[in-house]
Amino acid sequence: MTGDQVTAETVSSLLGDRELIVASNRQPYSHVREDGEITVTRPAGGLTSALDPVMQSAGGTWVAWGSGNADFDVTDENGSVRVPPESPAYDLRRVELDEERVEGYYYGYSNQVLWPICHVYPSKMNTETTFWNHYRRANRAFADAIADEATEESLIWFQDYHLGVAPRMVREKCPDAFCMQFWHIPWPSWDAFQACPQYERLLDGLLANDLLGFHTERYCQNFLDCAAMLPGTRVDRATRSVVYEGRRTFVRPFPLGIDADGRRELATSKDATTFWREFRREHELGEAVAVGVERLDYTKGIPERLTALERFWDQHPEWRGEFTYVQKASESRTQIDAYRELQAEVEDEVDRINDRFGTDEWTPIVYLNEHLPKEGLAALYREADLCIVSARRDGMNLVAKEFVASQVEDSGVLLLSELAGADEELGDEAVSVHPHDTKGFVDAIERALSLPESDRERRMHGLRKQVHSNDVYAWMNTQFRTIEAIQRGREVASKSLRRQ
Ligand code: GDG
């Protein structure tokens, strides 16, 4: 039985009479007009591709921002369209946001206030006062669409930090629906979170959920510490829950996994092999190859990694000509100054290091900024001897897990930042790095490249076990089982109250 079947079965049985409503900023399908013709695209993203099969088997409604230029040409008067287009199984209800709202809500409050606060970069926070208003209004638009679809029997599942106050708005209209939210980025300590001027409003919004999920136990504890600072709350550490406004919100770690079997299949595909053959031919690679895959985001620690790599080639001339680092970097949030500056900095550094060490036969750093097909990415993961994940902060980091699942041949080594959420599950078998400890980082690269085969195999065996047994389907199952347990607990409590 595949993970897929387990999930479909479990979700349907756990849902019972309840209807599932998923709400996220990104949509699973987008309609785009090009040269007068409308085509459907599937925005690549781990989460949307993981939840789509669940929605297809469970039915229900997915509420998301309609970002495609032909999205509303195909919807009904409520902004809904049945998807997937080839075999419609559920409703995608699109929320219409104008350009100004998207600027203020998405590029503004979500990505210039919440993102830096949660990753502990208060200096990158933009305190433009209109952002909050746009965020609230966008959340209101989501909440109205959700409430319009919801009944008291609905199970409403909010995704991520773009929808921090929508649960409270939905709760006002649907007091008995089950609301849950998964927060995909870190939750910081109270000292860091307090820097957010709207901290009370956000905590109030999130505490309208019945269940709140984070990637790690640490983020849960941080959230409970923050909730304790909100007037009117009672934090119950024993049950990891918060009582507020007459409701109890349970706070639990649900480390997100990947579709590990799917990634393994991609890595063994013919297309992956073809991609790698061409890639080797096109680039002057060393015998050993390391890979890093990320959006160009200041939290991912790319400049610090380049500094460590330069120092490595400096101090270990024996590895010049022998070892190439491949950086897959995707342009991201380029409307924001900090992101454009980072992109320029990274590109300049790559050029400078390549000029310093490169030869006609060898490129130290291969820089790829185009979007790769999944098979291409799988080929890089499969062939790499090292994968370097040296984030300065990261909620989880799925790249670390994708690398492991794609390692179907010789065992490579994962260099993993102790500041990434993935460290909680994978830290023991990875070689740990601290992004700001350049000397330690250089030693870790050297050590990883020199590890005996038996050691590499032992580590990779442990990592594979972890990644496959805690895949994305296990992630969903655990959450749905937790809901079931909460509901059972509530029924028992209300029966015993009735008996008194
Ligand atoms: C947030 C949190 C958390 C990248 N380039 C290509 C490509 N990718 C895919 C990767 C991976 C995804 O993008 C990146 O996921 P991450 O988890 O590394 O990072 P964020 O985008 O920052 O995600 C993070 C995550 O949410 C989930 O909760 O882990 O901490 O920050 O899946 O494979 N995919 C393809 N071509 C590319 O060129 N096909």
Side-chain angles (χ1 to χ4, degrees):
M1 190 182 270
T2 67
D4 229 330
Q5 285 164 320
V6 170
T7 302
E9 197 180 90
T10 314
V11 170
S12 304
S13 71
L14 290 180
L15 275 173
D17 294 336
R18 288 190 178 267
E19 198 202 36
L20 184 58
I21 299 180
V22 165
S24 67
N25 175 64
R26 275 252 176 272
Q27 56 181 349
Y29 300 90
S30 167
H31 287 82
V32 183
R33 188 186 297 280
E34 256 177 85
D35 304 326
E37 254 190 48
I38 296 181
T39 54
V40 180
T41 63
R42 288 147 214 256
L47 187 83
T48 44
S49 49
L51 292 185
D52 183 54
V54 176
M55 288 302 284
Q56 287 193 39
S57 73
T61 307
W62 189 323
V63 180
W65 164 40
S67 54
N69 63 8
D71 272 350
F72 292 95
D73 295 348
V74 298
T75 49
D76 64 15
E77 65 284 2
N78 289 327
S80 293
V81 58
R82 299 280 295 165
V83 289
E86 61 283 4
S87 53
Y90 67 93
D91 289 323
L92 170 59
R93 178 157 175 165
R94 288 170 168 152
V95 175
E96 195 162 8
L97 302 173
D98 64 26
E99 220 174 287
E100 195 190 348
R101 185 78 75 236
V102 172
E103 277 293 315
Y105 140 77
Y106 179 72
Y107 294 108
Y109 199 79
S110 299
N111 288 324
Q112 293 185 70
V113 179
L114 285 177
W115 181 269
I117 290 283
C118 289
H119 290 87
V120 200
Y121 283 95
S123 61
K124 297 255 194 251
M125 182 169 65
N126 181 341
T127 52
E128 163 61 48
T129 49
T130 58
F131 288 169
W132 170 246
N133 207 19
H134 284 297
Y135 185 80
R136 249 180 355 95
R137 284 172 181 228
N139 271 247
R140 172 66 68 192
F142 271 90
D144 288 347
I146 295 165
D148 197 34
E149 297 290 338
T151 66
E152 291 306 324
E153 296 300 314
S154 295
L155 195 160
I156 303 166
W157 192 6
F158 298 91
Q159 302 294 327
D160 229 350
Y161 60 102
H162 314 93
L163 300 175
V165 290
R168 173 66 58 205
M169 296 165 172
V170 169
R171 180 61 77 207
E172 280 155 12
K173 295 188 181 166
C174 312
D176 294 324
F178 192 97
C179 295
M180 61 192 274
Q181 187 147 9
F182 190 80
W183 192 264
H184 289 260
I185 62 176
W187 190 278
S189 68
W190 165 244
D191 283 345
F193 187 62
Q194 197 186 10
C196 176
Q198 292 80 21
Y199 68 82
E200 284 199 12
R201 305 290 297 276
L202 287 160
L203 289 169
D204 172 80
L206 292 172
L207 288 171
N209 285 296
D210 297 285
L211 174 62
L212 198 47
F214 295 96
H215 285 300
T216 71
E217 182 61 52
R218 170 103 54 90
Y219 305 155
C220 290
Q221 292 305 327
N222 285 346
F223 181 83
L224 292 174
D225 292 345
C226 291
M229 305 308 281
L230 181 70
T233 54
R234 182 166 59 78
V235 173
D236 181 353
R237 301 269 171 187
T239 58
R240 281 182 299 182
S241 64
V242 184
V243 179
Y244 176 65
E245 300 270 310
R247 294 195 82 84
R248 188 182 288 271
T249 303
F250 289 88
V251 180
R252 291 285 183 277
F254 300 115
L256 178 57
I258 57 163
D259 174 9
D261 291 345
R263 290 279 166 180
R264 186 172 49 197
E265 271 170 39
L266 278 172
T268 51
S269 68
K270 248 195 179 148
D271 287 349
T273 305
T274 310
F275 179 93
W276 180 250
R277 204 181 309 122
E278 281 168 17
F279 188 79
R280 262 225 100 99
R281 204 178 313 128
E282 261 175 49
H283 300 281
E284 295 75 34
L285 306 178
E287 203 43 48
V289 172
V291 67
V293 178
E294 40 260 311
R295 286 180 303 103
L296 281 158
D297 194 296
Y298 54 82
T299 60
K300 303 290 183 182
I302 303 172
E304 292 75 7
R305 189 180 315 162
L306 296 178
T307 303
L309 284 162
E310 181 175 18
R311 180 91 60 95
F312 174 76
W313 281 306
D314 206 8
Q315 293 178 354
H316 296 279
E318 71 280 14
W319 281 103
R320 293 186 206 159
E322 298 295 323
F323 166 61
T324 292
Y325 172 65
V326 180
Q327 176 68 62
K328 167 71 243 307
S330 321
E331 210 175 76
S332 180
R333 306 175 188 169
T334 48
Q335 283 83 342
I336 303 172
D337 290 348
Y339 285 76
R340 278 197 310 275
E341 286 159 16
L342 174 79
Q343 184 168 349
E345 179 191 348
V346 166
E347 289 174 1
D348 287 351
E349 276 299 275
V350 169
D351 287 345
R352 192 184 58 72
I353 296 170
N354 280 343
D355 282 348
R356 178 172 173 203
F357 296 115
T359 63
D360 286 347
E361 292 76 42
W362 172 64
T363 309
I365 303 175
V366 173
Y367 185 76
L368 307 171
N369 55 9
E370 70 272 18
H371 185 80
L372 295 181
K374 279 199 280 218
E375 294 76 8
L377 203 55
L380 290 182
Y381 287 142
R382 184 185 80 186
E383 297 297 332
D385 302 282
L386 309 186
C387 177
I388 309 185
V389 174
S390 56
R392 290 159 69 165
R393 288 234 178 246
D394 216 334
M396 169 54 76
N397 192 288
L398 298 180
V399 167
K401 296 185 172 186
E402 291 166 7
F403 168 69
V404 169
S406 311
Q407 282 280 303
V408 290
E409 292 184 338
D410 294 342
S411 294
V413 181
L414 174 65
L415 260 79
L416 181 60
S417 166
E418 53 184 275
L419 300 171
D423 177 70
E424 212 166 275
E425 290 169 283
L426 308 181
D428 287 350
E429 311 294 351
V431 169
S432 267
V433 286
H434 193 293
H436 302 294
D437 171 14
T438 308
K439 185 185 174 307
F441 203 154
V442 170
D443 293 346
I445 297 173
E446 211 278 326
R447 194 171 146 233
L449 282 170
S450 316
L451 273 183
E453 195 181 331
S454 58
D455 205 348
R456 281 189 278 122
E457 271 171 12
R458 182 187 51 75
R459 285 169 182 267
M460 190 48 75
H461 177 74
L463 290 169
R464 257 188 228 119
K465 217 165 135 190
Q466 172 65 246
V467 167
H468 279 272
S469 47
N470 297 301
D471 65 4
V472 67
Y473 304 108
W475 177 74
M476 282 192 265
N477 280 341
T478 319
Q479 282 171 90
F480 282 105
R481 289 197 188 288
T482 305
I483 299 171
E484 193 187 38
I486 292 172
Q487 288 178 322
R488 224 181 305 118
R490 283 186 179 160
E491 274 163 32
V492 171
S494 73
K495 268 187 203 147
S496 74
L497 269 180
R498 280 202 297 274
R499 261 188 248 117
Q500 282 169 12

